[in-house]
Amino acid sequence: MVVHLGPVTRIRELDALRGFAVGGIMLVNTWQHTEKKPPVPLDWTIEALFQSRFYPIFSMLFGISFLLFLRGHSRWTLLSRLVWLFLIGKLQHLFYAGEVLTDYAFFGALVLLPASFLPGALPVLLLGAVVTAWALLPAVGGGVLLIPGLFLLGMGLWRLRPGRTLLLPGFATAAVASALLSVAWVLTDEWTVYSLAALAGAAAYSLGLLLALGPRLSAVLEPLGKMALTNYVSGTAVIVLAKPLLDADPTRWAVVALAAVTIAAQILFSRWWLGRYRYGPLEWVWRCLTLFRLMPNRLESACDQNRPLPDPGVS
């Protein structure tokens, strides 16, 4: 599904996949910032099936978005975009210490800008694989250090453009690998094994979503993904405000309920907002700051609702 706009396009599968990742991150972040004593079975379920599965998707999409933004802008403009993203992350850090926007901006400037000069897909994919493998070493410790490698893998895959015929075998391979590695993690309790299971799970979720994506599911996820920055920041604010209530629930089902209600509200708000404006609230501010000028945002006619300007968001 691609919306054609003359010389530029908006790739709707990427918006839907980004929306899926935003929703998953909301669930995981809510759980991460909740008191977990005593442990309950729901903790294990979230850790085994969802924890660390969505940030890899978000990170690879950021690498793709980098190339999409370069289609119509200079690298200096892209650097400006990353600087402002860093500053937005610093503001978010005032109320949410777990933000990743500063890490995304830093590694984007450190890794993606130089990598954009590399020719073709294979050098970028090879570099991404090496950096990711390095981050998975027990002595390195992964965490945010997985981000630059995933950025590069996303950039390389977008340049390679593998065919849709690979979706089903890729999904099957990733799903089996994730299941086997998850069993191995249960048996060994090794962090590296868990990280590999999470990366395989992220691949399985991404490919499975692309296989299942139809008009109805896409219509739900796309608005969430088009306003990824707004929804990510607002979701973290909800978590901070609701933390006392979350900690008071020993069953941890309040985590699931809060995440579900927040995601549903964000989907409805995003659909309403994008029926009237080209960009989400924070996306518009970010774009104006990046380009150093006030950008038009309000849609002037019903026809404009189907003509979103290309904006890769935060991922």
Side-chain angles (χ1 to χ4, degrees):
M1 287 180 292
V2 178
V3 177
H4 292 276
L5 304 176
V8 295
T9 60
R10 177 119 203 169
I11 302 158
R12 297 172 64 181
E13 288 96 336
L14 297 185
D15 286 328
L17 190 55
R18 186 180 297 112
F20 174 72
V22 168
I25 287 169
M26 178 65 200
L27 171 63
V28 171
N29 281 355
T30 307
W31 175 77
Q32 283 181 333
H33 290 82
T34 302
E35 179 65 40
K36 300 180 188 65
K37 294 180 181 178
V40 295
L42 185 59
D43 293 329
W44 186 90
T45 301
I46 292 177
E47 187 174 16
L49 298 180
F50 303 112
Q51 166 83 344
S52 300
R53 267 71 172 174
F54 297 102
Y55 272 116
I57 302 173
F58 215 56
S59 298
M60 293 182 72
L61 287 170
F62 194 92
I64 294 173
S65 299
F66 193 95
L67 290 180
L68 294 177
F69 193 81
L70 275 179
R71 283 180 175 181
H73 302 86
S74 69
R75 287 180 174 84
W76 284 111
T77 303
L78 190 71
L79 182 59
S80 170
R81 183 174 176 85
L82 293 173
V83 169
W84 285 112
L85 182 63
F86 184 87
L87 295 176
I88 293 171
K90 281 296 184 183
L91 289 175
Q92 185 189 16
H93 192 82
L94 295 176
F95 67 88
Y96 185 75
E99 59 82 22
V100 297
L101 299 182
T102 52
D103 296 317
Y104 273 45
F106 173 77
F107 287 120
L110 181 68
V111 174
L112 289 178
L113 269 174
S116 67
F117 291 98
L118 292 175
L122 293 182
V124 180
L125 283 172
L126 179 61
L127 182 60
V130 170
V131 174
T132 302
W134 166 78
L136 287 169
L137 293 174
V140 177
V144 298
L145 295 179
L146 282 167
I147 292 174
L150 294 169
F151 279 1
L152 292 167
L153 290 175
M155 175 184 279
L157 283 173
W158 184 251
R159 285 183 172 178
L160 187 64
R161 300 289 187 92
R164 293 188 65 88
T165 55
L166 297 178
L167 284 179
L168 184 56
F171 166 72
T173 301
V176 171
S178 179
L180 293 176
L181 287 165
S182 295
V183 172
W185 164 64
V186 171
L187 296 175
T188 64
D189 198 30
E190 289 289 337
W191 173 85
T192 301
V193 176
Y194 176 79
S195 298
L196 289 170
L199 292 176
Y205 283 161
S206 300
L207 297 172
L209 178 69
L210 292 175
L211 283 169
L213 199 61
R216 291 185 179 179
L217 181 58
S218 186
V220 170
L221 295 175
E222 281 180 48
L224 198 63
K226 290 177 182 177
M227 289 175 45
L229 180 60
T230 296
N231 290 323
Y232 168 68
V233 173
S234 62
T236 60
V238 169
I239 293 170
V240 172
L241 292 173
K243 186 171 176 17
L245 296 175
L246 295 170
D247 290 341
D249 175 24
T251 70
R252 227 82 75 230
W253 280 103
V255 167
V256 178
L258 179 68
V261 170
T262 302
I263 293 166
Q266 288 178 335
I267 290 171
L268 292 174
F269 176 74
S270 298
R271 287 175 63 90
W272 177 86
W273 183 274
L274 292 172
R276 291 157 178 80
Y277 300 96
R278 291 184 175 91
Y279 309 107
L282 288 183
E283 287 76 10
W284 176 72
V285 170
W286 186 20
R287 176 168 281 264
C288 292
L289 292 171
T290 296
L291 301 176
F292 294 101
R293 65 176 183 269
L294 194 64
M295 300 294 295
N297 195 25
R298 191 168 187 88
L299 296 173
E300 297 180 358
S301 68
C303 180
D304 288 339
Q305 294 182 20
N306 296 319
R307 296 176 59 83
L309 298 180
D311 187 349
V314 303
S315 52

